[in-house]
Amino acid sequence: MELINVTAKDRKKFVSFYKSQYLNNPLKRDSMSGLLRGLVYGTSELCRSVDLEPLMVMDNDKIIMICILAFAYRMQDFVQIGFFEAAEPSHEAFGLIMDRAEQFAYEKGAYKISASLNIHVNYGLGFLASGYDKMQSFGMAHNPEFYHEFFTKNNFEAIEMVSYKKDMRNTDKLLSDETVDRLNKTYTVRAADFGNLKSEAEIYTDINNSSFREHLFYYPRKKEEDYELFKDLRFLIKPENLLFVEKEGRPVGFMLWYPDFNQIMKSNETVGLKTVIRNRLFSHKIDTFKIVEMGVIPGERNRGAILCLFNHCFKCIKGKYDYMESGWILSDNFKSKSFGIKWADCESKSYKAYVKVLSDEYI
């Protein structure tokens, strides 16, 4: 068994192995290999601010495990084990990755290792920890249960997360007319203007950085990174999928939501042009929409801006979708969980991220 630092000659095999974990599986869909390819080939904007070390473990010329070790310049406490995939529960193979991760952390002066964070929380966090027999939704993880053993047996602390689901079919309205009238005196909600995508992405970045600066695993985004993110999404989503709430003409919050595109993807395809075409032809076959992310700047929290976003989103989806599913929410984020408990019917799935604090011998 051998640990290999992926170079130019191995990149194609590395990405192909990642895709093999998702393709031709009735419960999974490949929505992340495009980002992975951009990182491995050095074409992504993210490569400007992250030191990356793609690794794969080979056994008799067969890849059995891969990951990318990542050190983000704006998150210097951590080395990440990102894009982790394993074909079998080999603790020997994982031990090789851990040895290198600890050494990499020592080289970078980091004292923590994270697992399941894919460079930034905007691109994915958390291993699936329940509902392994249910289909993966767009943007969320789906992995075998044995992944968790690698981290628990290596003294990682588990960070618990949960998503929520709601049956929308019998929901006539979210807020009373009186509440809507009161909120509309202070706030307005508008869809993004994709004709000015760069400036709209900048607004998204500014609100993100203001809203989530205290959030676990979050580090400030660059406007170029979010512009790249929305350029990649722009053929799938509509302006109404990125909502801004404004007060006196100033953006103070946002909501990102979109249909669960996995429902129209085939198991043998990667998200791309075929997905765009299918979405235009068969969008009526998607019965679930996802609230992916919401943020409100600190000075406007608990004043109704979030309610305005929820209400506007409801008007956009009414009659189009049967179900709502949220993205992951940290279990100790009581304010966000209270929204889930209030607005949703039940918890959907649980997820876990992992953190290990290294001992002095590695620091």
Side-chain angles (χ1 to χ4, degrees):
M1 196 169 289
E2 181 183 10
L3 180 70
I4 295 176
N5 195 317
V6 174
T7 59
K9 66 182 178 64
D10 304 311
R11 293 182 300 199
K12 186 175 180 180
K13 288 193 299 184
F14 181 90
V15 175
S16 293
F17 177 84
Y18 178 89
K19 294 174 72 170
S20 73
Q21 298 297 104
Y22 291 87
L23 297 180
N24 300 314
N25 184 318
L27 298 178
K28 297 184 180 185
R29 296 295 183 269
D30 175 26
S31 61
M32 293 291 287
S33 66
L35 173 61
L36 178 65
R37 181 180 179 84
L39 294 169
V40 173
Y41 282 79
T43 59
S44 172
E45 183 67 36
L46 293 168
C47 296
R48 296 176 180 268
S49 59
V50 183
D51 289 340
L52 301 172
E53 190 171 292
L55 301 175
M56 59 186 185
V57 180
M58 304 282 295
D59 190 16
N60 294 324
D61 297 322
K62 177 185 176 183
I63 302 175
I64 61 172
M65 195 172 292
I66 65 166
C67 74
I68 292 184
L69 299 184
F71 176 73
Y73 304 160
R74 285 161 271 157
M75 192 182 183
Q76 296 195 355
D77 292 349
F78 283 90
V79 158
Q80 304 175 29
I81 299 177
F83 293 92
F84 177 84
E85 296 292 343
E88 58 187 64
S90 171
H91 288 272
E92 180 183 358
F94 187 75
L96 295 176
I97 286 178
M98 273 302 300
D99 288 346
R100 179 56 196 149
E102 290 171 350
Q103 180 63 30
F104 192 62
Y106 173 78
E107 293 169 5
K108 299 299 181 183
Y111 68 97
K112 298 178 185 178
I113 298 177
S114 69
S116 83
L117 178 62
N118 292 332
I119 311 301
H120 192 275
V121 291
N122 285 13
Y123 303 102
L125 177 71
F127 294 116
L128 181 67
S130 72
Y132 300 100
D133 60 341
K134 297 178 182 177
M135 187 170 172
Q136 176 189 22
S137 62
F138 192 80
M140 304 296 278
H142 199 299
N143 50 266
E145 188 172 3
F146 71 77
Y147 279 22
H148 298 280
E149 296 178 12
F150 294 130
F151 303 100
T152 57
K153 291 185 177 181
N154 281 275
N155 301 315
F156 280 75
E157 175 192 357
I159 309 297
E160 308 283 344
M161 295 175 285
V162 66
S163 62
Y164 291 91
K165 193 162 188 175
K166 180 177 179 61
D167 187 331
M168 305 296 296
R169 290 174 292 184
N170 297 316
T171 303
D172 183 53
K173 62 172 66 174
L174 293 182
L175 304 173
S176 69
D177 293 338
E178 293 80 3
T179 300
V180 172
D181 289 341
R182 175 173 56 82
L183 292 173
N184 286 344
K185 294 177 181 178
T186 305
Y187 299 105
T188 58
V189 178
R190 67 170 179 85
D193 176 8
F194 284 175
N196 293 294
L197 181 59
K198 184 170 287 189
S199 60
E200 295 290 69
E202 289 180 358
I203 294 172
Y204 170 85
T205 302
D206 289 341
I207 298 174
N208 257 274
N209 289 340
S210 177
S211 302
F212 299 119
R213 58 191 174 197
E214 304 299 328
H215 196 287
L216 181 64
F217 295 121
Y218 187 86
Y219 61 86
R221 293 280 283 174
K222 290 185 176 180
K223 295 173 181 179
E224 296 84 359
E225 294 165 351
D226 285 328
Y227 179 55
E228 179 182 69
L229 172 66
F230 282 105
K231 275 203 308 182
D232 291 343
L233 277 174
R234 71 189 186 281
F235 296 115
L236 271 178
I237 65 174
K238 300 176 180 179
E240 66 181 14
N241 296 135
L242 177 58
L243 300 174
F244 292 112
V245 58
E246 298 180 338
K247 181 179 182 179
E248 298 176 352
R250 180 173 70 102
V252 297
F254 78 94
M255 173 188 285
L256 178 62
W257 70 275
Y258 45 64
D260 183 1
F261 301 114
N262 279 9
Q263 293 185 345
I264 55 169
M265 290 177 63
K266 292 187 176 180
S267 64
N268 63 349
E269 73 181 55
T270 295
V271 64
L273 180 58
K274 287 184 179 179
T275 318
V276 173
I277 294 172
R278 240 184 227 112
N279 184 47
R280 291 177 179 175
L281 295 177
F282 306 114
S283 60
H284 60 282
K285 294 188 175 183
I286 301 176
D287 68 4
T288 301
F289 76 98
K290 295 175 59 68
I291 295 179
V292 182
E293 187 184 14
M294 294 182 293
V296 172
I297 63 174
E300 293 298 327
R301 291 174 186 165
N302 304 315
R303 296 184 178 182
I306 283 285
L307 294 178
C308 289
L309 288 167
F310 268 110
N311 190 61
H312 193 95
C313 177
F314 180 73
K315 290 191 291 185
C316 293
I317 63 90
K318 188 171 174 58
K320 296 180 182 178
Y321 304 100
D322 293 338
Y323 303 97
M324 178 278 292
E325 184 177 346
S326 75
W328 55 264
I329 296 171
L330 294 172
S331 291
D332 62 358
N333 187 339
F334 299 110
K335 286 188 176 180
S336 293
K337 282 193 69 177
S338 67
F339 268 106
I341 293 168
K342 179 177 181 179
W343 297 105
D345 298 327
C346 60
E347 292 185 0
S348 178
K349 296 177 183 176
S350 59
Y351 300 85
K352 291 183 181 181
Y354 290 95
V355 172
K356 180 176 182 177
V357 179
L358 298 178
S359 62
D360 292 341
E361 64 182 288
Y362 296 110
I363 299 173

